[in-house]
Amino acid sequence: MTINFRAEELDSAADFEESLLGLPSAQPESGDIKVRTYMAFGSDDEKIVSGSWESDPGTARWEFTDRGEFIQVIAGRMVVQQDGEDPVELTAGSTAVFPIGWTGTWTVLEPLRKVFVVYRP
């Protein structure tokens, strides 16, 4: 079976599950941050999950200690800064990989929508 979805056509209200960003994913640094998740795929052993994710603006600390993540930004704008490194701005069309061990901050400047693949060893 092929799993297919068009992230830019998903409906935030109908297709996504809303929650507040928090541990174990990330620690908000700028107050509550609303996020929405659309899960398209999860392997039986949960080592790979994929879908689409939205975030309202805000800053959070991320620590990829037990997982890594590949993202493709669909809409919005954010700045990511790995500890000890220069900040990187990601906008629609940007792709980024956060390998296992990556730690730093994500600052969502404009409402963000991305496609993600999270992987665990």
Side-chain angles (χ1 to χ4, degrees):
M1 170 172 65
T2 299
I3 299 168
N4 181 25
F5 68 96
R6 298 180 68 76
E8 65 275 2
E9 295 175 3
L10 294 172
D11 182 316
S12 291
D15 297 321
F16 288 77
E17 181 178 318
E18 186 172 282
S19 63
L20 292 176
L21 182 64
L23 296 173
S25 294
Q27 180 65 49
E29 295 182 341
S30 61
D32 289 342
I33 302 172
K34 286 185 182 177
V35 296
R36 290 157 296 283
T37 305
Y38 168 81
M39 295 300 296
F41 172 79
S43 64
D44 291 339
D45 61 5
E46 297 183 2
K47 288 187 175 187
I48 300 175
V49 295
S50 181
S52 188
W53 185 82
E54 295 181 336
S55 177
D56 288 350
T59 299
R61 175 144 187 89
W62 290 78
E63 296 185 355
F64 290 90
T65 56
D66 66 346
R67 70 194 187 289
E69 183 173 359
F70 164 90
I71 70 167
Q72 173 81 44
V73 177
I74 303 302
R77 184 168 65 101
M78 71 184 221
V79 173
V80 299
Q81 185 167 11
Q82 184 173 0
D83 293 341
E85 301 290 330
D86 292 332
V88 175
E89 183 172 2
L90 303 175
T91 58
S94 296
T95 302
V97 176
F98 303 92
I100 296 170
W102 192 99
T103 60
T105 57
W106 290 13
T107 301
V108 175
L109 302 169
E110 298 172 3
L112 186 86
R113 182 177 286 193
K114 67 177 183 173
V115 170
F116 68 89
V117 177
V118 172
Y119 58 92
R120 290 179 170 81

